[in-house]
Amino acid sequence: MSKKIGVFVCHCGTNISATVDVEKVAEEAKKNNPGVSYTTTYKYMCSDPGQKLLRDKIKEEGLDGVVVAACSPKMHEHTFRNASKKAGMNPYHVEISNLREQCSWVHPDKPTGTEKSIDLVRMMTEKTRKDKSLNPIKVPVTKRALVIGGGIAGIQAALDIADAGHEVVMVEREASIGGHMAQLSETFPTLDCSQCIMTPKMVELAQNENIKLYTWSEIEAVDGYLGNFDVKIRKKARSVDLDLCTGCSSCWQVCPSKKIKSEFDMKLGNRTAIYIPFPQAIPSKPVIDREHCLLFKDARKKNIPPNDSKVCRKCLDVCPIAPVKAIDYSQEDEIITEKIGAIVVATGYKELDDTSMYGEYGGGKYQDVITGLQFERLASASGPTEGEIQRPSDGKVPEIIVFIQCVGSRDPAKGCSYCSKTCCMYTAKHTMLYKHKVHDGHAYVFYIDIRCAGKDYEEFWLRAVEEEGATYLRGRVSRIYKKGDKLVVLGADTLTGSVVEIEADMVVLASAMKAQDDAEKFAQKLSIQYNKDKFFSEIHPKLKPVESSSAGIFLAGTCQGPKDIPETVAQAGAAASKVLALLSADELEREPVVAKVDRLPAPIFSTCIGCFYCKRVCPYGAIAEEDIKARDGSVIKTVARVNEGLCQGCGLCAATCRSKSVELAGFNDEQVYAEINSVEFS
Amino acid sequence: MKIKITTKELKSDFAKEVKERSGIDVKKCYQCGKCTAGCPVAYEMDYMPNQIIRFVQLGLRHEALTSRTIWLCASCITCSTRCPKEVKIAELMDVLREMALEEGVANPKEKNITTFHKAFLNSVKKHGRISEFWMLSEYKRKRPKTALQDIEIGPQLMLKGKLSLTPHDIKGKKSIKRIFEKFK
């Protein structure tokens, strides 16, 4: 059945009409093209009257195919498909001919532009002729969300989703939730204590009945698709039964391994082998660090079994829980599967702690050259010095302290090319915290630029300079060396054009925020894209800032790029609202532009030869292997199958398939060849 | 000229001293360069006006007080008017000039200017106002190399009555004297 096709050519103001003779394009579309029964031009097809024109003409002229010659389909394909749907036509009979981005904007010359536009429109007319009716794919939704990461981003997203009445599963790989924010002393620009504003949220999360919390756990695998994920969670052996333990603290008080560097204190303080990371930990129940625990060390190195009387079992002995003790050395990793509808990734960042590439800053050799997060722990009341600023080497209160900004950041040669965004502010805060605690101390900051673009941020750093008296030196540091118990810092001040030499007691490096070490592996597990710095990518930097490249997976916080707490919380809220929109429907409608591997009657079953090249190229993990079985259950052949829920319609599989067994709906071979054949090559 | 900043300069009280003398808080300056951008004599200066503030900020007393810039400043006050942080730069130059003279470190290359300033003040002190003729004669006497400079316009000025040989004293000379007493 031949179609009645309408061609609507848009002027786009003068964007198209300045370089393309739109009237001629419309006229030519009708010539030698028996299927085209109606053509017109309009100033703005995307405007309300433009859409009305489309709707009216579909009805009046009885059109069953439409070509809109306008801008990129990325802009308004959706608009015109909706309009035609309203007029009672299958929306997938609408094709867009891109006259703006692909023609008028790139060709200065009107005759050439017009000629090319005529070709472009004819190509789309030919494609439209072969358009088949497609219907949206409906997928059921599991109304539960997974939040990966228990820092401030994850906590905020989980609370927002749970408060709306949906179940949330939170997975945190450390022994407690809290993340980096729990480590901070005070927060800019208000200088309120980080833990004071953080712990109420942590407690709220722990008490929320809609939230199921897995700490000391990691994501093993994510299968399935939007609305229907199957998530495997590895619950690492904690060696402590969370249901039985009351967090009485007896065990970590008797633990003989007391000199283990605390990760929470950025290695400035010590912890025991059975420990809670910090006093306000949630859950406030310990974990045994099997690498350092004497019992496990003996078992590993000397092959002494855990039940031998010679090994250290002090924690078990002291545990007051009866009759079954809360400590269980025989616990093993457990794999749990959860059914999930939508996922929020909030896995956070890692501070650049290895500065060995910066020989000029001591290359990580000097004890009194510390990082920003280490300074946070020094300044924190819960830190190793209980909030007194003491230098790590000898506990002396530094009289002169030097801060160096952009360590690792804005250094494409050795570190990262990007700006870590938070360091200007936290360094200004550090100078204030220091001056509040050491009144007659001197704070010097080496900087390249001051980037304090945020509400009340500029005022905050100026306060550090004008009221607290921090001295900012515009330049870099060339060398730090030891002289007696001092660290001599050599640098520059480009504003005076001079070299600077400061005899300091302590140096703080404002280290870059980096992606987690395992970010790349993790992204591959979830099939989400990431950038060159291993930060997870949003689909659109402006208009889709929390959507990952995989449908149903959203991003929150610093796993997507460096950001501060206010921004992280806002993004977490945004991710939560996207999750809630998904979970609010019982069924989801998805674009039917998906690939399909053919199925034929016996004895062929499918032309697929089972090479699975398609599986290798699919960026979304949408291709599965399927056994075609005989009645007796024996496998006749193994062929590819596309999971419609995961497929994003990119067409890589169709292009790769050697036996032409894959068809992409809306872009099948017949359509693409019809487009190509319609071009008149001169 | 190479400048080296060490802990000694950074810890010095130069900025504090300037603030005590003048009320000008150089910490407020964030080195935007607006003052230098608008300065009509910056092209002649050895350091830009913003650099002079920077010297005070970082305790570089010697560089600030021996600079030619502080003497070249014409006190037009464009900088002070335009400064977004309301730092009184022209007034700062004044304080630095005073301090330079007190410490005897004023840049010898700008002796003409210091002599001119002194001749100006001497005239005000004596007559309560400027007596152009006597002020100039004092200046040219002290800086003999300038004796013939601009001499040709003298007669014309005299003919127009702009260069009177007899000074005209003001009425409140005593008050002027008191001002000089006060700021001795």
Side-chain angles (χ1 to χ4, degrees):
Chain A
M1 190 190 81
S2 76
K3 275 195 178 122
K4 279 181 92 179
I5 297 170
V7 176
F8 298 81
V9 187
C10 180
H11 296 229
C12 194
T14 55
N15 271 305
I16 295 173
S17 62
T19 18
V20 171
D21 183 346
V22 283
E23 297 300 340
K24 193 172 173 202
V25 173
E27 207 177 290
E28 288 288 325
K30 224 174 187 173
K31 260 190 214 165
N32 305 327
N33 219 340
V36 178
S37 59
Y38 177 80
T39 64
T40 188
T41 70
Y42 194 73
K43 189 119 182 148
Y44 290 108
M45 276 306 294
C46 60
S47 66
D48 252 2
Q51 291 180 51
K52 188 172 179 293
L53 173 76
L54 182 80
R55 287 200 303 270
D56 293 347
K57 290 300 162 191
I58 288 173
K59 282 187 203 153
E60 283 168 24
E61 305 282 329
L63 302 176
D64 54 1
V66 162
V67 175
V68 183
C71 51
S72 161
K74 286 196 167 184
M75 309 291 295
H76 279 303
E77 187 179 66
H78 196 65
T79 313
F80 298 124
R81 285 195 165 159
N82 265 348
S84 63
K85 192 175 163 190
K86 276 185 194 160
M89 198 182 90
N90 185 292
Y92 295 91
H93 289 245
V94 175
E95 296 291 346
I96 307 292
S97 182
N98 184 354
L99 296 196
R100 195 177 70 178
E101 284 84 345
Q102 289 179 352
C103 191
S104 68
W105 275 356
V106 287
H107 296 297
D109 170 48
K110 202 160 185 173
T112 325
T114 308
E115 201 184 323
K116 181 172 168 183
S117 297
I118 292 167
D119 278 349
L120 287 172
V121 171
R122 188 172 48 244
M123 286 167 77
M124 274 309 150
T125 319
E126 289 308 315
K127 188 185 177 206
T128 310
R129 229 186 268 288
K130 308 220 180 287
D131 273 346
K132 288 176 188 160
S133 295
L134 301 173
N135 292 309
I137 299 166
K138 298 213 160 138
V139 250
V141 183
T142 310
K143 298 202 172 197
R144 297 176 90 207
L146 168 73
V147 176
I148 309 170
I152 184 60
I155 291 174
Q156 186 63 46
L159 284 175
D160 286 351
I161 299 167
D163 286 346
H166 293 291
E167 259 184 80
V168 178
V169 175
M170 174 179 271
V171 177
E172 164 60 51
R173 73 167 153 196
E174 300 299 333
S176 165
I177 56 168
H180 280 117
M181 188 176 162
Q183 291 178 290
L184 307 181
S185 51
E186 286 165 25
T187 53
F188 59 77
T190 42
L191 291 186
D192 36 10
C193 149
S194 183
Q195 292 194 331
C196 308
I197 55 176
M198 176 85 178
T199 46
K201 278 195 183 287
M202 288 165 61
V203 174
E204 200 186 328
L205 184 131
Q207 289 173 350
N208 195 312
E209 284 176 358
N210 279 337
I211 300 177
K212 197 168 169 186
L213 178 61
Y214 292 105
T215 51
W216 202 247
S217 302
E218 289 190 49
I219 300 295
E220 189 72 11
V222 175
D223 293 317
Y225 51 91
L226 168 70
N228 298 278
F229 292 104
D230 287 311
V231 180
K232 285 201 181 74
I233 300 163
R234 175 179 292 272
K235 222 172 137 190
K236 295 181 282 185
R238 196 178 186 111
S239 316
V240 172
D241 190 314
L242 284 180
D243 294 330
L244 295 174
C245 175
T246 57
C248 71
S249 84
S250 325
C251 53
W252 65 82
Q253 281 175 15
V254 297
C255 180
S257 311
K258 292 192 191 304
K259 294 266 168 162
I260 305 162
K261 294 278 175 216
S262 159
E263 295 83 1
F264 186 79
D265 282 336
M266 300 310 289
K267 308 205 164 141
L268 290 179
N270 295 330
R271 63 163 171 84
T272 45
I274 183 164
Y275 71 105
I276 57 167
F278 55 104
Q280 303 97 318
I282 283 184
S284 183
K285 292 166 189 184
V287 57
I288 293 182
D289 167 9
R290 290 190 171 184
E291 202 194 321
H292 292 98
C293 169
L294 292 177
L295 178 135
F296 286 97
K297 261 188 178 168
D298 280 350
R300 250 193 334 266
K301 287 183 186 156
K302 300 179 198 156
N303 253 335
I304 308 173
N307 50 5
D308 194 286
S309 58
K310 275 184 282 179
V311 294
C312 166
R313 294 153 62 114
K314 284 192 174 164
C315 50
L316 183 76
D317 294 342
V318 82
C319 180
I321 313 291
V324 183
K325 301 248 179 186
I327 289 169
D328 177 6
Y329 300 126
S330 64
Q331 236 182 41
E332 276 176 26
D333 287 9
E334 206 182 320
I335 304 282
I336 296 160
T337 306
E338 292 278 5
K339 290 217 162 287
I340 298 293
I343 301 175
V344 176
V345 179
T347 49
Y349 74 99
K350 181 182 176 277
E351 187 197 36
L352 172 81
D353 54 358
D354 176 18
T355 52
S356 54
M357 66 280 214
Y358 292 110
E360 62 267 45
Y361 303 150
K365 285 192 310 252
Y366 300 131
Q367 251 188 306
D368 294 331
V369 178
I370 62 172
T371 67
L373 264 184
Q374 286 183 315
F375 188 86
E376 294 287 345
R377 293 312 300 147
L378 279 187
S380 168
S382 72
T385 56
E386 289 173 345
E388 253 209 61
I389 310 289
Q390 295 172 359
R391 61 184 198 178
S393 64
D394 55 4
K396 191 185 141 186
V397 177
E399 281 165 34
I400 296 184
I401 185 165
V402 169
F403 295 89
I404 305 174
Q405 290 194 181
C406 294
V407 176
S409 313
R410 306 177 72 196
D411 180 358
K414 282 187 191 168
C416 348
S417 57
Y418 55 86
C419 161
S420 290
K421 211 174 179 181
T422 53
C423 328
C424 286
M425 284 297 285
Y426 80 60
T427 300
K429 178 189 76 181
H430 286 171
T431 64
M432 286 192 196
L433 296 181
Y434 169 72
K435 294 287 264 187
H436 291 171
K437 291 179 176 180
V438 187
H439 299 300
D440 48 0
H442 297 268
Y444 303 105
V445 183
F446 284 93
Y447 71 100
I448 311 179
D449 291 296
I450 296 296
R451 298 181 167 176
C452 296
K455 195 176 180 189
D456 296 332
Y457 284 11
E458 173 77 4
E459 292 86 340
F460 182 82
W461 96 265
L462 285 178
R463 199 173 117 203
V465 177
E466 292 170 18
E467 287 170 37
E468 313 285 358
T471 303
Y472 275 67
L473 297 154
R474 202 222 162 266
R476 307 295 286 153
V477 166
S478 62
R479 195 179 161 207
I480 299 173
Y481 65 92
K482 269 203 123 138
K483 190 173 149 194
D485 76 331
K486 296 268 182 189
L487 288 165
V488 181
V489 182
L490 298 180
D493 177 62
T494 60
L495 290 171
T496 46
S498 53
V499 291
V500 184
E501 182 184 312
I502 301 173
E503 289 192 10
D505 296 302
M506 189 161 105
V507 177
V508 182
L509 308 177
S511 295
M513 281 170 111
K514 293 186 65 181
Q516 295 277 13
D517 288 335
D518 57 351
E520 196 169 6
K521 253 192 182 163
F522 182 78
Q524 285 161 0
K525 225 179 251 178
L526 268 72
S527 295
I528 56 175
Q529 288 169 11
Y530 48 92
N531 71 0
K532 68 173 176 31
D533 301 306
K534 317 285 186 288
F535 286 115
F536 305 145
S537 302
E538 64 285 357
I539 318 183
H540 193 284
K542 286 148 235 163
L543 303 178
K544 288 192 172 175
V546 297
E547 287 91 333
S548 81
S549 54
S550 284
I553 303 182
F554 303 96
L555 308 173
T558 49
C559 64
Q560 183 253 351
K563 53 181 72 67
D564 57 22
I565 297 167
E567 233 185 304
T568 297
V569 172
Q571 199 190 17
S577 84
K578 295 283 170 189
V579 168
L580 291 175
L582 264 182
L583 302 188
S584 66
D586 295 324
E587 268 186 336
L588 291 174
E589 280 200 353
R590 296 212 51 217
E591 281 272 305
V593 181
V594 289
K596 199 176 176 200
V597 182
D598 64 15
R599 289 293 184 271
L600 297 164
I604 303 171
F605 302 105
S606 168
T607 58
C608 171
I609 52 167
C611 69
F612 297 109
Y613 275 19
C614 51
K615 196 177 172 185
R616 279 203 274 175
V617 296
C618 178
Y620 307 100
I623 302 210
E625 295 181 17
E626 187 178 61
D627 291 334
I628 294 178
K629 286 178 183 163
R631 276 198 194 129
D632 61 359
S634 60
V635 176
I636 298 168
K637 70 195 279 192
T638 306
V639 295
R641 190 176 60 81
V642 178
N643 183 331
E644 289 184 344
L646 286 173
C647 178
Q648 304 282 323
C650 71
L652 275 181
C653 51
T656 314
C657 183
R658 301 192 295 175
S659 56
K660 296 198 187 304
S661 312
V662 190
E663 185 183 286
L664 181 60
F667 289 93
N668 61 33
D669 282 359
E670 206 191 352
Q671 289 177 303
V672 176
Y673 284 125
E675 273 190 57
I676 298 169
N677 288 335
S678 74
V679 183
E680 282 164 17
F681 296 99
S682 50
Chain B
M1 191 178 68
K2 289 265 158 59
I3 305 171
K4 187 173 176 185
I5 308 170
T6 67
T7 320
K8 193 182 123 210
E9 285 84 29
L10 290 170
K11 282 175 86 173
S12 83
D13 287 335
F14 187 36
K16 214 170 147 192
E17 196 183 327
V18 168
K19 191 179 176 184
E20 274 163 16
R21 288 183 73 128
S22 62
I24 298 165
D25 187 358
V26 291
K27 275 192 297 193
K28 276 174 31 184
C29 167
Y30 54 27
Q31 291 290 329
C32 69
K34 187 88 177 171
C35 46
T36 300
C39 179
V41 284
Y43 68 95
E44 273 289 331
M45 290 173 169
D46 52 353
Y47 297 110
M48 296 296 110
N50 67 300
Q51 283 180 302
I52 297 293
I53 306 175
R54 189 72 181 150
F55 291 157
V56 184
Q57 283 178 329
L58 300 185
L60 295 165
R61 184 182 205 104
H62 176 77
E63 280 72 15
L65 298 186
T66 60
S67 72
R68 293 173 59 201
T69 297
I70 54 174
W71 297 104
L72 290 169
C73 166
S75 301
C76 71
I77 328 214
T78 306
C79 48
S80 305
T81 318
R82 290 184 179 173
C83 177
K85 296 283 288 169
E86 299 178 317
V87 177
K88 295 182 172 167
I89 302 128
E91 291 82 337
L92 172 75
M93 298 292 177
D94 235 355
V95 182
L96 295 178
R97 282 194 285 263
E98 268 174 37
M99 290 170 84
L101 288 179
E102 279 168 22
E103 293 173 28
V105 294
N107 193 309
K109 282 188 186 155
E110 303 304 343
K111 222 152 191 173
N112 284 356
I113 301 175
T114 46
T115 314
F116 187 87
H117 278 301
K118 278 181 190 159
F120 182 96
L121 285 175
N122 282 341
S123 180
V124 174
K125 198 173 173 183
K126 211 165 173 184
H127 310 293
R129 52 163 293 179
I130 296 293
S131 162
E132 287 81 1
F133 182 83
W134 293 107
M135 180 190 85
L136 279 174
S137 62
E138 181 189 333
Y139 169 67
K140 288 188 185 286
R141 205 170 57 245
K142 285 183 181 162
R143 307 295 296 160
K145 275 188 187 163
T146 66
L148 296 176
Q149 242 176 37
D150 303 327
I151 201 84
E152 71 279 6
I153 59 169
Q156 288 172 41
L157 286 172
M158 273 184 168
L159 280 175
K160 291 202 169 176
K162 299 284 181 195
L163 204 62
S164 164
L165 290 176
T166 46
H168 301 280
D169 289 4
I170 61 158
K171 277 179 189 161
K173 263 171 70 177
K174 272 187 188 162
S175 323
I176 295 292
K177 215 169 192 169
R178 276 207 300 278
I179 295 175
F180 276 92
E181 290 295 320
K182 203 171 173 185
F183 291 97
K184 219 170 185 179

